[in-house]
Amino acid sequence: MSLFKARDWWSTVLGEKEEFDQGCLCLADIDNTGNGQDKIIVGSFMGYLRIFNPHPVKTGDGTQAEDLLLEVHLRDPILQVEVGKFVSGTEMLHLAVLHSRKLCVYSISGTLGNVEHGNQYQIKLMYEHNLQRTACNMTYGSFGGVKGRDLICIQSMDGMLMVFEQESYAFGRFLPGSLLPGPLAYSSRTDSFITVSSCRQVESYKYQVLAFATDADKRQETEQQKLGSGKRLVVDWTLNIGEQALDICIVSFNQSASSVFVLGERNFFCLKDNGQIRFMKKLDCSPSCFLPYCSVSEGTTNTLIGNHNNMLHIYQDVTLKWATQLPHIPVAVRVGCLHDLKGVIVTLSDDGHLQCSYLGTDPSLFQAPKVESRELHYDELDTELKELQKIIKDVNKSQGIWPITEREDDLKVSAMVSPNFDSVSQATDVEVGTDLVPSVTVKVTLQNRLALQKAKLSVYVQPPLVLTCDQFTFEFMGIPRVIQCKFRLPLKLICLPGQPSKTASHKLTIDTNKSPVSLLSLFPGFANQSEDDQVNVMGFHFLGGSRVTLLASKTSQRYRIQSEQFEDLWLITNELIIRLQEYFEKQGIKDFACSFSGSMPLQEYFELIDHHFELRINGEKLEELLSERAVQFRAIQRRLLTRFKDKTPAPLQHLDILLDGTYKQVIALADAVEENQDNLFQSFTKLRSATQLVILLIGLWQKLSPDQVAILEAAFLPLQQDTQELGWEETVDAAISHLLKTCLSKSSKEQALNLSSQLNIPKDTSRLKKHITLLCDRLAKGGRLCLSTDAAAPQTMVMPGGCTTIPESDLEERSIEQDSAELFTNHKHLIVETPMPVSPLQGVSE
């Protein structure tokens, strides 16, 4: 809480859900009373024009009914409001309102009221100009030194300056090289317009040069202009400030000197009339608006600067004199005389908070209450502490990986997958090869028990599945909590019925403890019921070309899955086990189980790891080469630029040929990097599928509980996306090393956890493959996965963000290699079976 606050004198909120900007606020004696009292004029993007004359009974009062002099809806958005002598034949003040396609000048007058309703104010349209181009902003002044009247200059969105001499249109000129419009101001002392171009430089144009330059309607050179009858628009002076400007303001000390103030994104500048920098100040916070005004000290200028931290800073030249806290972020600030109170600061926020305030302090009157002393009973405190420690210990013993929710959640999420595909596919790529890509609609339902303010729904699917929209925001709901809901998509979304294959490079056989189930019952819609052979064999065709065959034995209780690609086995194997479990649950059979006793397919798994790691290394080399070529390209550009700027040009010495060759190399390397990233993405998707299969087989092989399988998944699948900075190999190696040093450790020496500050990409995958083999070996010897502190193998440290890999002794490595030769040989015939003793595989239908 800041001690220096803007003391609220009067405030109000304008409309509902209206928007405002820096040109929407103006202070002036618009009704021409002549008493020096300003009125507050506000226009909004919704088209509402309001005029206020605050009369608070006491400081800090809100708006009263009589404070609002006038409110009218002009229909078109109001970009800027200004007050000046805009009507010919009179020096009375009138209101100029700038719309996007129209400029209107109004007269504001008041009628003295004879009843309690007070004075009556009317608005009268004096004239208007329909604009041929979309307006951005405007400025006004006595252009050309005219007396007793003000002219208006409007800047369009395409960089055209349109000058209006009150009721008539004078001329229009395009600013040279204009791309985006910037702030615009008029300097009466030099009779010039000052703006900041999209080149981030301050530019000054003389009014006389604008008046005699080529007309904007004739942008192409004509024969007369070539003969000298027309003049080009030439800039008077420029100054490169290196950043985009938010606003420009001209302040005159006297008739002999004036200053140009420019508010940038990070600095504000004070310039002389000729464009030289008088001073500049680097700002600590991002500014939102500013207002320079003359200081009481001779030769200095005060500046109000509002920023996005709800602060208003007052500078005297470059010295910070005061800082005050505001209740909102100001987009416009003005200083005026209201109700005989001089120097009132008026601020306006983008959502319509209008406040009149003055500077002051707000001391805190809070005093800390006295703490009542009481006697401490140490015996009771000791007993209470022991009870709390017991409760904490019991919770740690009984708690699983995920917290258990005992009460009803404030927000529930449920998902329902449509049983039918969309009639018109919503897929971005409608075809993959010769296959049509289908799409399915998922209905997500949110149920809230309490009134929530805002909720954000994120949907994630594993590649290669994609979503049409993955982020949803509900404005009427959200609290800082996360609720998850998982759902299964139909298999037909990525898989079609295919022709079974009798031969395959990779085979997986599972055995159940129940009679075989017809594949038609498990996978309805994936086989032709007219053929008897289809009952025991079924083919699956993945989108993209891969094929998987599923066979059921007629005589035994076994199923076989086979494919040419190792990673393609996981989806059908996992789907088969899930559908078998669901089938027997519907039959009321609860003792259905599966297990795996064959050799772990680590060799095939390691081949996918090596391929993925090779693509990562290749990506690093390509990016390094691309960086070198980019540095070389920029160096050649600098050399060429130096040659071109030289007044006595020297020979290029084949630099142009070298530039062209380097450019082609940069393009070729960029294409190679993009192609390698695509291959890496596909490789990571295959690696994830293979990892899921290995986790499934380990779980069936060692009869792991769901909590233990979750630990394996957290260790082997820690990343949703693979990047060059943090890759799959080093992350998984750190996680497995942690498991080997904690719950799977063999001695207390292994429990001394070595920490590393960060994870780096390894030189090769030999250590990772060794640790995976060691993990399987220790699970085979009775090791169990556990995160509890009361595990059989003592744990002394929670898993860190990164840990060094476990160093193994030569003796242990030799024993592991011997065991691995026996347990994990390169078999492409895999067996998954139940705990029941079974005979060798016989009679499996091919």
Side-chain angles (χ1 to χ4, degrees):
M1 180 181 297
S2 175
L3 175 65
F4 304 99
K5 291 184 177 180
R7 306 303 301 270
D8 186 7
W9 181 69
W10 177 89
S11 62
T12 185
V13 178
L14 306 178
E16 294 183 0
K17 296 184 178 179
E18 296 187 44
E19 295 183 8
F20 304 83
D21 206 350
Q22 62 182 11
C24 298
L25 177 64
C26 181
L27 268 65
D29 184 17
I30 187 60
D31 55 350
N32 297 280
T33 59
N35 57 7
Q37 302 299 313
D38 293 328
K39 279 74 178 178
I40 302 174
I41 307 164
V42 184
S44 73
F45 289 166
M46 297 295 290
Y48 286 95
L49 176 67
R50 299 178 178 90
I51 300 178
F52 293 92
N53 186 19
H55 290 79
V57 178
K58 60 179 181 179
T59 301
D61 279 356
T63 179
Q64 304 294 326
E66 58 271 17
D67 293 342
L68 181 61
L69 303 183
L70 180 69
E71 180 176 10
V72 61
H73 188 204
L74 301 180
R75 299 184 181 275
D76 296 324
I78 299 175
L79 304 183
Q80 191 172 344
V81 290
E82 297 291 350
V83 174
K85 303 173 183 179
F86 301 135
V87 177
S88 61
T90 178
E91 293 189 4
M92 303 289 286
L93 297 179
H94 289 78
L95 175 64
V97 179
L98 179 64
H99 303 284
S100 57
R101 283 281 184 171
K102 186 167 57 175
L103 171 66
C104 301
V105 174
Y106 296 95
S107 171
I108 308 297
S109 60
T111 303
L112 186 63
N114 296 322
V115 294
E116 60 182 4
H117 298 295
N119 299 339
Q120 305 295 320
Y121 285 82
Q122 296 85 27
I123 181 171
K124 179 181 178 182
L125 178 64
M126 304 303 294
Y127 63 87
E128 67 178 21
H129 294 289
N130 292 318
L131 307 179
Q132 300 299 320
R133 301 178 182 276
T134 303
C136 174
N137 51 26
M138 68 176 176
T139 186
Y140 71 96
S142 55
F143 305 162
V146 297
K147 303 295 183 180
R149 57 177 178 155
D150 292 325
L151 280 62
I152 299 176
C153 178
I154 299 176
Q155 182 179 206
S156 67
M157 294 298 292
D158 55 355
M160 179 182 177
L161 297 184
M162 298 170 284
V163 177
F164 295 88
E165 294 183 356
Q166 296 182 340
E167 291 86 350
S168 61
Y169 171 73
F171 58 86
R173 302 290 184 264
F174 278 101
L175 297 179
S178 176
L179 181 62
L180 293 174
L184 181 67
Y186 172 73
S187 175
S188 59
R189 206 188 75 83
T190 60
D191 192 24
S192 57
F193 296 98
I194 301 174
T195 183
V196 178
S197 67
S198 54
C199 299
R200 299 183 175 183
Q201 61 183 12
V202 184
E203 299 176 353
S204 175
Y205 297 91
K206 291 285 187 179
Y207 175 76
Q208 296 297 332
V209 175
L210 286 171
F212 289 100
T214 305
D215 192 80
D217 297 331
K218 303 176 182 178
R219 299 193 71 173
Q220 302 295 331
E221 280 196 63
T222 63
E223 292 297 330
Q224 292 181 352
Q225 294 166 8
K226 293 180 180 179
L227 294 176
S229 61
K231 295 184 179 180
R232 291 184 57 191
L233 180 57
V234 180
V235 64
D236 185 27
W237 55 261
T238 62
L239 175 68
N240 193 337
I241 61 174
E243 58 183 305
Q244 191 57 44
L246 302 181
D247 200 1
I248 295 179
C249 190
I250 312 296
V251 176
S252 296
F253 298 109
N254 46 54
Q255 291 296 329
S256 61
S258 65
S259 296
V260 179
F261 285 83
V262 181
L263 179 65
E265 296 172 327
R266 295 174 298 274
N267 307 274
F268 85 92
F269 306 83
C270 178
L271 313 179
K272 297 180 181 180
D273 292 335
N274 57 1
Q276 296 179 356
I277 295 181
R278 192 185 301 272
F279 62 82
M280 65 173 289
K281 174 66 176 178
K282 182 176 178 59
L283 303 176
D284 297 329
C285 304
S286 176
S288 59
C289 62
F290 87 137
L291 177 69
Y293 61 95
C294 291
S295 172
V296 293
S297 300
E298 185 177 356
T300 62
T301 304
N302 287 357
T303 308
L304 296 173
I305 299 182
N307 58 42
H308 286 84
N309 289 349
N310 294 22
M311 296 292 293
L312 187 66
H313 291 170
I314 295 89
Y315 289 90
Q316 188 177 68
D317 288 346
V318 296
T319 305
L320 180 63
K321 290 295 185 179
W322 197 269
T324 183
Q325 184 81 35
L326 293 175
H328 55 260
I329 299 175
V331 296
V333 58
R334 299 290 185 270
V335 175
C337 179
L338 300 174
H339 197 52
D340 295 328
L341 183 62
K342 297 181 180 180
V344 178
I345 300 174
V346 183
T347 55
L348 176 67
S349 70
D350 60 351
D351 56 355
H353 283 78
L354 180 65
Q355 177 173 312
C356 299
S357 55
Y358 58 92
L359 302 180
T361 59
D362 189 11
S364 176
L365 302 178
F366 172 77
Q367 293 182 355
K370 296 181 179 180
V371 180
E372 296 182 0
S373 60
R374 59 176 182 175
E375 296 182 1
L376 298 178
H377 302 282
Y378 293 100
D379 294 337
E380 296 179 0
L381 292 177
D382 190 39
T383 304
E384 183 181 359
L385 178 61
K386 291 181 180 179
E387 292 178 355
L388 292 175
Q389 289 177 342
K390 182 180 179 182
I391 294 174
I392 295 173
K393 188 176 181 180
D394 293 340
V395 170
N396 289 335
K397 287 183 179 180
S398 59
Q399 188 177 17
I401 296 178
W402 307 111
I404 301 174
T405 304
E406 297 181 355
R407 62 177 183 85
E408 183 182 2
D409 287 330
D410 296 336
L411 179 65
K412 288 186 177 181
V413 182
S414 59
M416 183 179 69
V417 182
S418 175
N420 302 319
F421 289 155
D422 299 333
S423 57
V424 179
S425 178
Q426 303 296 319
T428 53
D429 297 328
V430 182
E431 295 184 1
V432 177
T434 59
D435 300 325
L436 294 177
V437 179
S439 65
V440 67
T441 301
V442 180
K443 181 180 179 181
V444 181
T445 304
L446 304 180
Q447 295 178 341
N448 57 311
R449 185 172 59 88
L450 302 175
L452 306 177
Q453 297 178 356
K454 190 175 182 181
K456 184 176 182 180
L457 174 67
S458 300
V459 186
Y460 171 77
V461 293
Q462 293 187 2
L465 298 176
V466 293
L467 297 161
T468 56
C469 183
D470 59 351
Q471 298 284 344
F472 301 89
T473 302
F474 303 94
E475 295 295 337
F476 61 92
M477 307 175 67
I479 52 176
R481 292 186 58 187
V482 177
I483 306 239
Q484 293 184 353
C485 171
K486 295 185 179 180
F487 54 89
R488 290 174 55 194
L489 294 172
L491 185 60
K492 276 192 173 182
L493 191 61
I494 59 173
C495 188
L496 301 174
Q499 187 67 27
S501 176
K502 294 184 178 180
T503 59
S505 301
H506 304 276
K507 298 179 181 180
L508 178 68
T509 303
I510 63 174
D511 186 24
T512 66
N513 57 352
K514 301 298 176 183
S515 301
V517 182
S518 171
L519 297 182
L520 291 177
S521 301
L522 296 176
F523 298 91
F526 277 88
N528 188 357
Q529 299 183 7
S530 61
E531 300 180 9
D532 296 338
D533 294 341
Q534 294 290 325
V535 177
N536 296 321
V537 63
M538 187 173 291
F540 300 89
H541 172 70
F542 288 110
L543 297 178
S546 302
R547 297 181 181 274
V548 179
T549 303
L550 175 61
L551 302 97
S553 175
K554 295 180 180 179
T555 58
S556 63
Q557 301 170 349
R558 296 188 174 185
Y559 302 84
R560 173 179 293 173
I561 306 97
Q562 57 188 28
S563 175
E564 292 294 333
Q565 303 293 332
F566 173 70
E567 63 273 5
D568 293 338
L569 295 174
W570 168 71
L571 183 61
I572 302 302
T573 303
N574 185 64
E575 195 73 20
L576 173 65
I577 295 176
I578 292 176
R579 297 194 181 203
L580 283 173
Q581 292 173 347
E582 292 177 349
Y583 175 83
F584 286 109
E585 285 180 0
K586 291 180 181 179
Q587 302 295 327
I589 301 174
K590 298 182 179 180
D591 58 344
F592 173 79
C594 296
S595 65
F596 175 68
S597 62
S599 300
M600 290 296 298
L602 294 184
Q603 189 61 37
E604 294 88 341
Y605 184 48
F606 291 160
E607 290 176 1
L608 290 174
I609 294 177
D610 291 336
H611 178 63
H612 175 263
F613 185 75
E614 181 182 353
L615 290 175
R616 286 188 62 195
I617 297 297
N618 190 32
E620 279 197 344
K621 294 179 180 178
L622 288 174
E623 289 182 359
E624 184 178 355
L625 229 122
L626 179 60
S627 177
E628 293 177 357
R629 291 296 179 270
V631 171
Q632 176 179 321
F633 185 73
R634 289 192 293 269
I636 299 173
Q637 281 183 321
R638 286 194 296 269
R639 291 285 184 89
L640 281 174
L641 186 61
T642 303
R643 296 287 176 90
F644 291 150
K645 286 185 175 181
D646 195 357
K647 294 183 179 179
T648 57
L652 297 181
Q653 297 179 345
H654 303 291
L655 283 176
D656 53 341
I657 301 176
L658 184 59
L659 180 70
D660 182 65
T662 306
Y663 174 76
K664 292 179 179 178
Q665 290 181 358
V666 169
I667 296 300
L669 285 172
D671 293 338
V673 169
E674 186 176 357
E675 181 183 359
N676 187 80
Q677 289 176 349
D678 294 339
N679 295 335
L680 184 63
F681 176 78
Q682 296 178 5
S683 176
F684 185 63
T685 303
K686 294 179 180 179
L687 181 60
R688 285 179 61 90
S689 298
T691 304
Q692 293 278 12
L693 179 62
V694 171
I695 293 173
L696 177 64
L697 295 181
I698 293 176
L700 296 175
W701 172 44
Q702 289 297 317
K703 308 176 187 61
L704 299 181
S705 65
D707 289 345
Q708 292 174 328
V709 173
I711 295 175
L712 271 184
E713 291 178 348
F716 278 87
L717 295 172
L719 303 175
Q720 299 292 351
Q721 294 180 350
D722 191 39
T723 61
Q724 290 289 350
E725 293 79 12
L726 182 62
W728 181 86
E729 286 80 7
E730 56 266 28
T731 310
V732 173
D733 189 21
I736 295 178
S737 299
H738 173 74
L739 293 177
L740 292 175
K741 292 182 176 182
T742 53
C743 58
L744 296 179
S745 61
K746 297 175 63 177
S747 62
S748 59
K749 294 182 179 180
E750 294 182 358
Q751 297 170 14
L753 199 61
N754 296 326
L755 300 179
S756 177
S757 59
Q758 60 182 359
L759 296 178
N760 299 320
I761 184 171
K763 296 181 180 180
D764 52 41
T765 59
S766 58
R767 185 173 294 273
L768 171 62
K769 292 186 288 188
K770 185 192 304 180
H771 288 166
I772 295 176
T773 306
L774 182 60
L775 174 72
C776 296
D777 176 57
R778 293 191 178 176
L779 288 175
K781 294 180 179 179
R784 280 295 174 261
L785 299 171
C786 183
L787 294 181
S788 174
T789 55
D790 294 334
Q795 302 179 20
T796 59
M797 191 168 293
V798 182
M799 179 164 181
C803 58
T804 58
T805 53
I806 181 172
E808 308 291 345
S809 63
D810 295 338
L811 181 61
E812 187 175 6
E813 289 182 4
R814 289 196 295 269
S815 63
I816 292 172
E817 293 174 359
Q818 294 174 359
D819 295 340
S820 302
E822 298 175 359
L823 294 176
F824 312 111
T825 54
N826 183 10
H827 288 294
K828 294 188 179 181
H829 184 91
L830 313 176
I831 298 177
V832 181
E833 59 184 11
T834 61
M836 298 176 57
V838 292
S839 59
L841 181 62
Q842 295 178 353
V844 176
S845 174
E846 297 283 347

